[in-house]
Amino acid sequence: MSIPQKSRQYFLPAGRKEGYKNLTITEVEVPKLKANEVLVKVHAASLQYRDLAIANEFYGGLDGREIVPGSDMAGEVIAVGQDVTDWKAGDRVCANFSPAHLHGDPTAATMAAALGAVAPGVLTEYRAFPSESLVRIPAHFSYQQASTLPCAALTAYNALNAGDTVLVLGTGGVSIWALQLAVTSGATVIATSSSDEKLKIAEKLGAKHLINYRNTPNWEEEVLKITNGVGVDHVVEVGGQGTMHKSIKSVRMGGGVYVIGVLTHGDLPQDIFRLVLGRAAEVRGILIGSVAQFKDMVRLIEANPEKTTPVIDKVFAFEEGIAAFAHLESQKHVGKIVIQVSKD
Amino acid sequence: MSIPQKSRQYFLPAGRKEGYKNLTITEVEVPKLKANEVLVKVHAASLQYRDLAIANEFYGGLDGREIVPGSDMAGEVIAVGQDVTDWKAGDRVCANFSPAHLHGDPTAATMAAALGAVAPGVLTEYRAFPSESLVRIPAHFSYQQASTLPCAALTAYNALNAGDTVLVLGTGGVSIWALQLAVTSGATVIATSSSDEKLKIAEKLGAKHLINYRNTPNWEEEVLKITNGVGVDHVVEVGGQGTMHKSIKSVRMGGGVYVIGVLTHGDLPQDIFRLVLGRAAEVRGILIGSVAQFKDMVRLIEANPEKTTPVIDKVFAFEEGIAAFAHLESQKHVGKIVIQVSKD
Amino acid sequence: MSIPQKSRQYFLPAGRKEGYKNLTITEVEVPKLKANEVLVKVHAASLQYRDLAIANEFYGGLDGREIVPGSDMAGEVIAVGQDVTDWKAGDRVCANFSPAHLHGDPTAATMAAALGAVAPGVLTEYRAFPSESLVRIPAHFSYQQASTLPCAALTAYNALNAGDTVLVLGTGGVSIWALQLAVTSGATVIATSSSDEKLKIAEKLGAKHLINYRNTPNWEEEVLKITNGVGVDHVVEVGGQGTMHKSIKSVRMGGGVYVIGVLTHGDLPQDIFRLVLGRAAEVRGILIGSVAQFKDMVRLIEANPEKTTPVIDKVFAFEEGIAAFAHLESQKHVGKIVIQVSKD
Amino acid sequence: MSIPQKSRQYFLPAGRKEGYKNLTITEVEVPKLKANEVLVKVHAASLQYRDLAIANEFYGGLDGREIVPGSDMAGEVIAVGQDVTDWKAGDRVCANFSPAHLHGDPTAATMAAALGAVAPGVLTEYRAFPSESLVRIPAHFSYQQASTLPCAALTAYNALNAGDTVLVLGTGGVSIWALQLAVTSGATVIATSSSDEKLKIAEKLGAKHLINYRNTPNWEEEVLKITNGVGVDHVVEVGGQGTMHKSIKSVRMGGGVYVIGVLTHGDLPQDIFRLVLGRAAEVRGILIGSVAQFKDMVRLIEANPEKTTPVIDKVFAFEEGIAAFAHLESQKHVGKIVIQVSKD
């Protein structure tokens, strides 16, 4: 395939007044490859809550700058720089959320390189990535399926320590992947949702216990009942302040609450560290993961194809970007929202 | 040595009005040994902030009940129950903070068994302990020195993961032990205090960097400067809400804040979980530790005698219990406050 | 249920000439309970290769002494000693292989306490165990099923680190449990056997790749082919010297060979440590496991009932002990050989 | 500094008859930098047993090819390729033993890239390295001191798990570094040597127990005596077959023997895996380490300057290469042998 010269790309202007509704498609030059870079044709991208927060300007540290949105994509290698030996045209890849986070803990520098914020994102037809930031996608995955991996699946994977009982909150992208990967590893999963319909999907994916938190607002008590008063080994906490208090009460002594995102606002109880101390519990923030972890996760997925089929809520055409963001905002989805960027 | 019939013992009545000032000495029967128990002559006991909190009734869950205070002691085996094979008269031992916490994480049951709260404490001349709750003390330690181990040293030991840079807050019992054990393990220690005099002691014990937080109220910025903007690997956090915000800002991405106690009250910033998430940091409560960890710590201490000499602030006679608590309350101490219970 | 006075018990005399064929049933007094002991009615026992080695006197360190054989049983609590609070009549339990190995690494003392060698075994109708050596069996298991856990399953569990690809050798008790527990944890399993029939059973239990080592004597080359030349993450090695060389060649760089038993004799290649070094590989001996690990394993089994049904080859009546040992010796079994000791 | 055009370089011809005595100095072109490469002026290099094995052709897999010898160097950055942002002229660096081993376990590919075998080595005045293979040297180290780090220190660091008691065999480069790093981490070290003089040096570096294995050929019994019959937590095993049997007998149950090299030949006892199994011990090959580990080690060294001063046996001028190899071959050294390649 010859290298194209133009790439259609989504763009959010500075000084936007209407958040994601200001999304426009522009046409840009395809970048010249550095010696260590790989040019990827983006086939599919998936959205996260972070994309919405960035577009709508309640994501910190961006000061209303122009954005090329999107962090998660799967695509096909088109060309490689002169020093690249690991990849060749035709290879099917994802880029890591932060192309600079290769292994170990994140750093300020790796977070600054995260896609779709300060660094331009992936809602574009062609994009260059450093060679070492790419990961081969599971052989049996379509591009749409693979586009769900970088943030949601890797965050979930990174939050899952060994443990027998896992509580996942809601049915968003991370929670669903956490559910699937926990089941794959032999854990018992308790899932919550406000909708019985969504809980049925969770059950089908392997959740053993289901709690409708609309009917059971004190769901932490239900979690304790299910675990014979002991609590779960860990909680994949996507909500933040609104649910943190209950999450800590749901965890066993010595267990962990893994904080994935801070979606909601609200009063933070003053006794929260007393609770953490009293349970000898761990609260840990999870910032996606490294290329090394991504590769490990791909092996786990390839070994367990039947349990790790990505749950895709809806696929939008490239031109339907605003509708895709609107669907994300509505929070009606189960699993991931995908944009088909290029034709497969 | 023949088994004595009476034991002089401290006692805090229910309905006490004046907290630790209501401490009285009573005389009780020496308990009959169960098959699995060991009778210990208590030589020395050390005090912690927890003892003060219990006496003054701002420790949760006790509902003003009668208390035999004290959790930390070192003493001598006097007699053993019929099924005990591990211990014999003359052995020098500590009891674990929770005699039921043998290994692994704490549980509700192990915490309920902790000494000096619901379960009677160790400010008594003779006390029976389950055989498996006892730990041999370092051979080169006096009883006074060994009495500083159960809470302060084991908590500090338990909070110290591998890591190059450790921040300890203040110069109380846990912080001083954390400083010493971190230095023993090759870490760089940053110590804070409100007093230059106390900081000099910290320096002598091996702290490489000293911060007087009276002169430097934004000490988290100084920590970042010392660590080239990266932050420390972990913080041993004894203060709680008053300092937590700065502690989290002091830690590197992926680092940990180990919460030892919740001493002070005050406003908890609403953005605290956002901070935890933003740094991919870990906040973990530490509830002392298990018998298994205690034994490991004794080995580390015996291998490094020159660096792990307990720092004893002051020794009080058994009859001076109220004065000892008053000294603890004054927060002027560096290291541990010890009560000589019996003659050595 | 009233406490019985007599217990029928298997016995191997000193100076036995014919190994397990000298097994006889005797009648002994039911022991008086110590304060910390629990009397268990043994319902079912399972056999291992170790039992055969002990009976036939090629197990080290026993010097031809009298033996009460058997280490693995499941049974019902009949009575408890005066200080026991954890158990009550009717509870369904296994004893740990070494009743003294509660947590952490084994020691000389814990190994000396292992059942069925120096310490009397479990092929008896009633036996007393220390309270802390017992583990509740999975709620959905029969006694026969639970009797397969103490050696075979716990050894397999203990050998299974996180890892994507596991090689199990043969279809004996440990290998089958290793296969099942690895599949439960999401790993890809490669199984070997000399029989296509046995391999079909392995496949049904979840093995993804099957190698008949009779047809493929250089099976390590096949393992490398399956893993794209990389090798497996670890090998559960039950054979010892006869297969060790090939096992090390089958493992990836940085991977591990977990040595479970030393069944066979033969020449040990002189270059074996060069191989270990050249692959940065780990060779680790596994000596069953602790009570703490046993409890963890029970939780994993209860969370995954459909994948962890014990594979029982054949059940013998109590009186058929010699036939059971003969069947074990024939090595025709897949999974475990069980003796029904008492009526359920 | 301007980029030089020529580099003086050591060379071992194919078909060499006299091993290292065929070392000659040649002059080669300074390589053109790739976009991701850094040109380093080599100041000092240190030798290991591996260099001798390669020169004298008893190192496997090289088939008598031409060699540029040497794997360990410290030097100064002279120039950087167009895409390099991490380094600038004047930076003081070591290259990792395998420039391709960035983190995690080694692989066949990372081992093939190891310096001084298939890939050209560092006994040259100017050499290009991939940017990511370089590690900043401790600020207080000279180039000579830093040249001792890549193989010896990192191997030792990599072999040191947490543990209270460590046995190091002999006083070669790895053993001395293992001694120093173990002492830095608070461990008790037992050192062996055939010479009382060398043992005195070990004592000065912090070893608590000394065994002259000439006087005490059954040194494993002495190790057991020192450890009250328990054995050490781990052994840093540099000898291989000649000592392995005793090393395994020296280790506690559940402990580890870390195999660093295979220096000597000799009979390998047939019962060696029985010993490993009987002690539930771990035998692990150590192949140097990754860039990530190297950086961690530098932090540990910088935090503990007084205990980690490299032990340099002797420094040779660049032209004295053959004499340096001869000194290594004589095995009289304590610590490292260094070649001053360029003027500082």
Side-chain angles (χ1 to χ4, degrees), chain D residues 222-234:
Chain D
E222 186 65 21
V223 171
L224 290 176
K225 214 180 293 172
I226 289 168
T227 56
N228 298 317
V230 171
V232 296
D233 292 299
H234 61 272

Side-chain angles (χ1 to χ4, degrees), chain C residues 1-6 30 33 39-41 76-80 89-90 125-126:
Chain C
M1 182 177 178
S2 68
I3 299 182
Q5 306 213 323
K6 300 285 182 182
V30 169
L33 285 185
L39 187 67
V40 175
K41 179 186 178 191
E76 180 187 357
V77 171
I78 297 294
V80 302
E125 290 174 318
Y126 299 94

Side-chain angles (χ1 to χ4, degrees), chain D residues 180-191:
Chain D
Q180 292 179 289
L181 294 174
V183 166
T184 298
S185 305
T188 298
V189 174
I190 304 174

